[in-house]
């Protein structure tokens, strides 16, 4: 009897947690907006990649940052997301 109740509770818990989803309403609302400041993002990329800011360029047709002569290409929106989550970088480089 105790095993049956334990199994039943386990099944209920698993089904309850499997239906949980993360809400991305904040990011979805910002998705249509242009990236904040490309100068700020370029400086961030420069520090992260260890290259000069002047070597980072923007491809306007694909909306990507790239470094000529390398394989690095990344969407501006993706860099913006990484920058938004880079709290330690902001504390050490922007104060």
């Amino acid at each position: 009897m105790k095993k049956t109740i334990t199994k039943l509770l386990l099944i209920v818990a698993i089904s309850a947690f499997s239906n949980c989803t993360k809400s991305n309403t904040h990011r979805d609302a910002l998705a249509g907006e242009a990236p904040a400041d490309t100068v700020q993002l370029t400086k961030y990329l420069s520090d992260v990649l260890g290259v000069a800011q002047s070597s980072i360029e923007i491809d306007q047709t694909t909306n990507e940052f790239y470094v000529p002569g390398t394989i690095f290409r990344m969407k501006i929106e993706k860099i913006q997301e990484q920058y938004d989550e880079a709290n330690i970088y902001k504390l050490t480089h922007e104060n």
Side-chain angles (χ1 to χ4, degrees):
M1 179 76 172
K2 191 173 185 178
K3 279 187 174 182
T4 308
I5 293 174
T6 305
K7 287 180 182 179
L8 182 60
L9 287 175
L10 183 61
I11 291 171
V12 169
I14 290 172
S15 64
F17 287 118
S18 66
N19 289 330
C20 293
T21 58
K22 182 178 176 183
S23 174
N24 288 328
T25 54
H26 178 67
R27 284 210 177 140
D28 293 341
L30 296 176
E33 296 178 12
D37 184 12
T38 55
V39 174
Q40 210 172 24
L41 295 178
T42 303
K43 182 175 179 350
Y44 169 71
L45 264 182
S46 170
D47 290 340
V48 170
L49 297 175
V51 298
Q53 281 182 286
S54 59
S55 67
I56 299 172
E57 298 184 17
I58 299 175
D59 184 346
Q60 297 294 338
T61 58
T62 60
N63 261 355
E64 293 178 327
F65 281 111
Y66 70 98
V67 179
T70 68
I71 61 170
F72 179 79
R73 289 187 86 82
M74 190 174 282
K75 293 280 186 190
I76 294 173
E77 293 84 17
K78 184 69 175 170
I79 299 296
Q80 180 69 49
E81 288 175 11
Q82 289 180 2
Y83 176 77
D84 290 342
E85 296 172 0
N87 296 328
I88 293 174
Y89 171 83
K90 291 175 186 176
L91 284 174
T92 57
H93 291 83
E94 295 182 359
N95 287 330

